[in-house]
């Protein structure tokens, strides 16, 4: 059986790895001139690590990622709103997106990775299965669902970069919430730190000095935020508006085509699960293909398993944004912060359990 994956991002390459594990011949078509990932860091959540473990890649990701360090949510003065103990079993591994992509590509033979290839029509692809992993602006999704709304602006602009200087490896993963603004810290395994900032802002904004814009947004905020910004070359700061697929798709499959990742369920990043959902998608799709007698049965199983979970995740992420950094009224900020301090961290973790406790299906055809 042959599959063609349209799109060579994290989700598409993971799908290729997973399908090859269950015996499929796979080609990944990427329209860029070379494979890779732009951007900064990504938090690989415990659920995604389990999916990678099913592919034999979790240990490789842990080796290049963040060691087990404490984490938490802070206010702009550095006071703890909620804390996650470093000894907690379910911890996030932060890696650079490019490094994670490299680990995934290492599990594929070079001949199945095809660059500089534009797909104009899914009908022209010679394959038993087409995996559309072509991102938030998916042409495949638009072709399959031409009347459904396209992704919409979620009301937040984000900035991301990685420091050039190395910081202590025990620097915690943290998220700082201010009025209408947040700042996140993801230490990488080599001592560099990925950081991001997000703020409620009109769509389409640009600044001649994006690093300076971030400095303005978080002026006076706690250490090590100023030091992280000082260690960031100005030209490396990426700015993008956050969009989401606010109208859920009625199905993730049409004919021999399966939508995967952002092409199926582009969501806001407030739960840090966007890339993780794409990795999960890939393993579930491969497991369905391993068990089913034919492609239509496999795709029906994939849709049944993935659509409820991913759309529930998208709703939860949207809601978290509303009670997180999108809160701007000073009184509401005070109430939010007090509520977060009053709720034990263990209670918050239990609330996330239904998302984090996911386990991948077996890739064996017998289970």
């Amino acid at each position: 059986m042959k599959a063609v994956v349209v799109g060579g991002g994290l989700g598409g390459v993971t799908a290729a790895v997973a399908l090859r594990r269950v015996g499929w011949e796979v080609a990944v078509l990427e329209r860029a001139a070379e494979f890779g990932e732009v951007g900064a860091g990504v938090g690989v959540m415990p659920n995604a690590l389990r999916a990678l473990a099913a592919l034999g890649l979790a240990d490789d990701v842990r080796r290049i990622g963040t060691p087990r360090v404490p984490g938490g949510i802070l206010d702009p003065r550095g006071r703890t709103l909620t804390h996650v103990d470093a000894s907690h079993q379910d911890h996030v591994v932060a890696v650079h997106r490019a490094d994670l992509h490299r680990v995934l590509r290492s599990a594929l033979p070079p001949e199945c990775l095809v660059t500089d290839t534009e797909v104009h029509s899914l009908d022209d692809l010679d394959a038993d299965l087409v995996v559309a992993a072509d991102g938030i602006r998916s042409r495949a999704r638009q072709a399959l669902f031409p009347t459904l709304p396209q992704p919409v602006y979620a009301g937040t602009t984000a900035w991301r970069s990685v420091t050039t200087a190395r910081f202590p490896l025990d620097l915690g993963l943290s998220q700082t919430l201010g009025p209408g603004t947040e700042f996140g810290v993801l230490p990488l395994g080599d001592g560099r730190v990925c950081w991001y900032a997000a703020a409620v802002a009109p769509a389409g904004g640009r600044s001649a000095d994006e690093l300076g814009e971030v400095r303005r947004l978080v002026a006076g905020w706690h250490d090590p935020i100023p030091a992280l910004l000082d260690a960031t070359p100005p030209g490396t700061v990426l700015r993008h508006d956050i969009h989401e697929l606010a109208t859920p798709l009625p199905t993730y499959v049409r004919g021999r085509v399966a939508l995967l990742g952002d092409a199926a369920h582009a969501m806001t990043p407030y739960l840090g699960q966007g890339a993780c959902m794409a990795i999960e998608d890939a393993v579930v799709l491969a497991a369905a293909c391993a068990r089913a007698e034919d492609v239509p049965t496999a795709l029906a199983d994939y849709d049944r398993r993935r659509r409820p979970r991913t759309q529930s995740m998208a709703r939860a992420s949207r809601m978290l944004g509303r009670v997180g950094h999108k809160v701007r009224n000073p009184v509401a900020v005070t109430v939010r912060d007090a509520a977060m301090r009053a709720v034990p961290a263990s209670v918050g973790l239990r609330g996330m359990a239904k998302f984090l406790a996911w386990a991948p299906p077996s890739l064996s055809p017998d289970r």
Side-chain angles (χ1 to χ4, degrees):
M1 300 292 283
K2 180 180 180 181
V4 170
V5 179
V6 181
L10 293 175
V13 175
T14 307
V17 174
L19 287 166
R20 280 181 54 84
R21 292 271 296 193
V22 298
W24 282 60
E25 178 185 344
V26 185
V28 183
L29 308 183
E30 168 58 46
R31 65 179 178 178
E34 59 184 23
F35 278 90
E37 272 282 337
V38 298
V42 58
V44 184
M45 299 291 184
N47 49 299
L49 279 170
R50 294 187 200 100
L52 292 170
L55 303 178
L57 298 174
D59 288 342
D60 292 335
V61 173
R62 290 189 181 96
R63 274 193 290 270
I64 63 170
T66 310
R68 192 183 294 267
V69 293
I73 302 176
L74 312 173
D75 71 8
R77 294 171 61 182
R79 297 173 299 186
T80 299
L81 301 179
T82 187
H83 177 75
V84 178
D85 194 294
S87 63
H88 194 275
Q89 182 178 3
D90 287 338
H91 72 290
V92 181
V93 174
V95 297
H96 197 287
R97 294 183 73 95
D99 294 334
L100 176 58
H101 199 272
R102 192 175 302 112
V103 168
L104 293 165
R105 293 200 316 273
S106 71
L108 294 170
E111 60 268 20
C112 75
L113 300 172
V114 183
T115 59
D116 207 16
T117 301
E118 192 96 23
V119 175
H120 297 286
S121 172
L122 300 180
D123 294 335
D124 295 337
L125 299 175
D126 178 20
D128 301 289
L129 167 66
V130 175
V131 181
D134 52 342
I136 189 169
R137 298 295 176 187
S138 170
R139 295 181 182 180
R141 183 185 63 235
Q142 189 169 3
L144 296 173
F145 302 97
T147 63
L148 288 181
Q150 293 298 300
V152 298
Y153 180 51
T156 298
T157 292
W159 293 260
R160 297 172 294 159
S161 192
V162 177
T163 66
T164 52
R166 265 59 173 177
F167 286 78
L169 291 178
D170 60 354
L171 181 69
L173 285 83
S174 67
Q175 177 188 25
T176 300
L177 291 178
T181 305
E182 71 174 79
F183 191 95
V185 176
L186 288 85
L188 304 177
D190 60 2
R192 293 178 302 159
V193 177
C194 166
W195 60 262
Y196 70 87
V200 177
R206 289 292 180 269
S207 171
D209 179 10
E210 298 292 3
L211 182 59
E213 184 71 5
V214 176
R215 292 185 193 276
R216 182 189 66 79
L217 287 169
V218 298
W221 285 26
H222 64 83
D223 293 331
I225 293 175
L228 296 176
L229 298 180
D230 287 344
T232 302
T236 66
V237 178
L238 303 174
R239 175 175 180 164
H240 68 281
D241 292 336
I242 294 174
H243 289 76
E244 63 171 327
L245 195 62
T247 303
L249 295 181
T251 177
Y252 290 172
V253 302
R254 279 284 172 86
R256 60 177 181 154
V257 181
L259 294 168
L260 183 147
D262 281 352
H265 45 70
M267 63 186 66
T268 57
Y270 311 130
L271 281 173
Q273 285 280 357
C276 298
M277 288 296 99
I279 292 169
E280 281 189 17
D281 287 349
V283 172
V284 173
L285 177 61
C289 289
R291 289 190 305 268
E293 295 182 356
D294 53 45
V295 170
T297 303
L299 295 191
D301 186 28
Y302 167 73
D303 181 60
R304 178 179 62 84
R305 291 173 180 269
R306 294 310 295 163
R307 193 154 42 89
R309 174 167 167 79
T310 54
Q311 292 178 353
S312 174
M313 186 75 75
R315 290 191 298 270
S317 182
R318 187 182 305 121
M319 180 60 67
L320 186 61
R322 290 173 183 165
V323 300
H325 79 276
K326 287 191 174 184
V327 177
R328 290 185 283 180
N329 180 280
V331 174
V333 169
T334 299
V335 171
R336 177 200 65 196
D337 291 358
M340 293 183 69
R341 290 191 181 97
V343 175
S346 58
V347 174
L349 288 172
R350 285 200 297 270
M352 285 292 294
K354 68 175 182 178
F355 297 130
L356 297 180
W358 176 89
S362 171
L363 294 178
S364 168
D366 300 325
R367 297 176 63 186

